[in-house]
């Protein structure tokens, strides 16, 4: 994080942080922010963080929590769904980036590894075999989060997570308020095909060239969410492994990092070139090896909408050939 970004962050959240008085320590807001950022950006244990900043371990933990609480309280300012008058601009940006039309957001789930909790540890084991908390993100074409939902145990399927999330529920029950009929969000094959949610055709070994082209363009366009997760963990490396004695703190820390992610994008904060290279390689591999699952539910209006988009993309190919 650059000095300019840090100063902007401090000006915004510093006045909301009270001076911490813990034992002999008196920690001003600036130092609290420094402790929190160092904690988020590194994998060191809290004793190491405390030694670096000349405070006790409990003070370092409490400073990080204070900053996390403030960032969560401000999350509505930095993580928000586009205004209706910006829908078409968001869609144009997605189309320019990946070629898929009328996209408002890309959605996916991300696992944040944790140690096994003392209560119901089995429910936190994900399909990859480690304990985790889930983060669902929806983002724009630049990887800026438009909605996040965090803290569900890692064994939950992505589509179930979507149905549990507040934004998912609002899209299911009143999609017209957030996603006009002609628009949609993009997900991978783990999600159910719905009029507001476009997913790939199931690869049964007999896809037509038009269906393959549809899947390729959808995958390329929705990679903004994979890149967003890569940038998030690239900056805030604490999210590679979140050491928690109480999993209830997990969502607080994860959302705080998501807010910081958007602040960094807003201020055009530079990312380390080596990390960017790793992220780009990771995203390229996902495009080549996108997860293919059976979403299993037939929704006739959604099927027709997907077919119409496929035909439109095919006609564009013909016109441009």
């Amino acid at each position: 994080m650059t000095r300019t970004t840090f100063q902007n962050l401090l000006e915004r959240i510093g006045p909301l942080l009270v001076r911490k008085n813990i034992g002999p320590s008196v920690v001003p807001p600036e130092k609290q922010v420094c402790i929190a950022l160092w904690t988020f950006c590194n994998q060191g244990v809290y004793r190491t963080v405390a030694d670096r900043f000349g405070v006790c371990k409990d003070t370092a933990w409490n400073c990080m929590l204070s900053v996390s609480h403030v960032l969560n309280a401000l999350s509505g300012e930095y993580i928000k769904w586009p205004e209706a008058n910006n829908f078409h601009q968001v869609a144009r940006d997605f189309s320019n980036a990946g070629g898929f039309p009328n996209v408002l957001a890309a959605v996916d789930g991300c696992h944040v590894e944790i140690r096994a909790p003392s209560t119901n540890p089995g429910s936190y084991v994900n399909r990859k075999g480690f304990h985790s908390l889930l983060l669902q993100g929806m983002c724009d074409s630049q990887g800026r989060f438009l909605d996040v939902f965090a803290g569900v145990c890692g064994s939950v399927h992505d589509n179930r997570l979507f149905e549990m999330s507040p934004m998912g529920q609002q899209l299911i029950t009143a999609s017209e308020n957030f996603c006009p009929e002609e628009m949609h969000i993009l997900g991978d094959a783990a999600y159910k095909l719905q009029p507001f949610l476009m997913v790939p055709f199931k690869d049964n070994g007999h896809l037509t060239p038009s269906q393959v082209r549809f899947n390729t363009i959808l995958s390329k366009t929705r990679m903004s969410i994979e890149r967003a997760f890569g940038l998030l963990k690239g900056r805030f490396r604490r999210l590679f492994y979140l050491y928690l004695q109480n999993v209830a703190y997990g969502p607080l820390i994860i959302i705080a990092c998501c807010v910081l992610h958007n602040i960094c994008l807003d201020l055009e904060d530079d990312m380390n070139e080596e990390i960017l290279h790793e992220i780009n390689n990771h995203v390229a591999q996902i495009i080549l090896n996108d997860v293919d699952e059976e979403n299993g539910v037939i929704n006739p209006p959604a099927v027709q909408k997907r077919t119409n988009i496929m035909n439109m993309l095919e006609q564009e190919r013909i016109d441009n050939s």
Side-chain angles (χ1 to χ4, degrees), residues 6 9-10 13 17 20 22 25-42 44-68 238 260:
F6 174 78
L9 177 64
L10 184 61
I13 73 172
L17 291 165
K20 279 288 178 186
I22 304 173
S25 301
V26 178
V27 187
E30 182 175 5
K31 191 168 185 177
Q32 291 184 55
V33 174
C34 287
I35 290 172
L37 290 177
W38 183 267
T39 303
F40 295 149
C41 294
N42 294 277
V45 297
Y46 283 96
R47 187 176 302 282
T48 302
V49 178
D51 290 345
R52 173 174 289 274
F53 289 95
V55 297
C56 69
K57 187 171 69 171
D58 286 346
T59 298
W61 168 256
N62 279 286
C63 287
M64 184 275 297
L65 281 186
S66 293
V67 172
S68 295
R238 178 71 53 176
L260 289 170

Side-chain angles (χ1 to χ4, degrees), residues 180-198:
E181 183 177 352
E182 74 278 9
M183 294 187 169
H184 33 261
I185 62 178
L186 298 184
D188 62 19
Y191 296 93
K192 295 177 183 177
L193 176 66
Q194 304 197 54
F196 58 82
L197 176 53
M198 290 290 103

Side-chain angles (χ1 to χ4, degrees), residues 6 17 96 117 128 134 145 163 182 257 265 271 287:
F6 174 78
L17 291 165
N96 291 336
K128 298 180 181 179
L134 276 164
F145 290 119
E163 294 173 343
E182 74 278 9
C257 291
L265 289 183
M271 173 66 95
I287 293 174

Side-chain angles (χ1 to χ4, degrees), residues 79-290:
I79 302 174
K80 52 189 176 182
W81 200 252
E83 298 289 339
N85 58 2
N86 289 329
F87 283 175
H88 289 290
Q89 182 58 55
V90 173
R92 279 193 295 271
D93 291 341
F94 266 113
S95 181
N96 291 336
F100 205 96
N102 298 330
V103 180
L104 277 183
V107 61
D108 205 356
C110 174
H111 291 278
V112 177
E113 186 172 1
I114 59 172
R115 73 171 186 173
S118 57
T119 304
N120 298 323
S123 65
Y124 290 86
V125 178
N126 60 42
R127 61 185 175 84
K128 298 180 181 179
F130 59 85
H131 296 83
S132 67
L133 294 174
L134 276 164
L135 163 64
Q136 176 182 277
M138 299 186 192
C139 76
D140 64 16
S141 63
Q142 304 304 309
R144 191 178 193 279
F145 290 119
L146 306 176
D147 183 79
V148 292
F149 176 59
V152 175
C153 55
S155 62
V156 173
H157 188 271
D158 280 354
N159 190 72
R160 177 58 183 146
L161 180 67
F162 179 82
E163 294 173 343
M164 295 169 64
S165 69
M167 179 55 75
Q169 292 175 12
Q170 292 179 92
L171 285 166
I172 292 168
T173 59
S175 60
E176 65 278 2
N177 295 333
F178 301 93
C179 188
E181 183 177 352
E182 74 278 9
M183 294 187 169
H184 33 261
I185 62 178
L186 298 184
D188 62 19
Y191 296 93
K192 295 177 183 177
L193 176 66
Q194 304 197 54
F196 58 82
L197 176 53
M198 290 290 103
V199 303
F201 288 95
K202 169 69 176 177
D203 188 356
N204 55 10
H206 302 285
L207 291 182
T208 67
S210 295
Q211 289 172 329
V212 171
R213 176 175 170 77
F214 175 96
N215 285 1
T216 300
I217 295 174
L218 185 150
S219 180
K220 181 180 177 182
T221 306
R222 77 164 194 88
M223 281 303 107
S224 60
I225 187 61
E226 301 292 352
R227 183 174 174 81
F229 288 145
L231 288 170
L232 177 70
K233 288 188 173 183
R235 277 196 175 97
F236 307 110
R237 303 186 78 82
R238 178 71 53 176
L239 299 185
F240 279 113
Y241 184 88
L242 191 54
Y243 178 83
L244 297 167
Q245 292 197 8
N246 186 341
V247 292
Y249 291 118
L252 185 75
I253 297 169
I254 295 168
I255 298 298
C257 291
C258 291
V259 173
L260 289 170
H261 167 88
N262 276 9
I263 290 173
C264 288
L265 289 183
D266 288 345
L267 297 174
E268 299 181 348
D269 190 82
D270 292 332
M271 173 66 95
N272 181 285
E273 289 296 328
E274 183 176 343
I275 295 174
L276 280 176
H277 182 68
E278 292 176 4
I279 293 167
N280 290 335
N281 285 342
H282 173 66
V283 169
Q285 284 301 311
I286 292 174
I287 293 174
L288 290 174
N289 304 295
D290 213 353

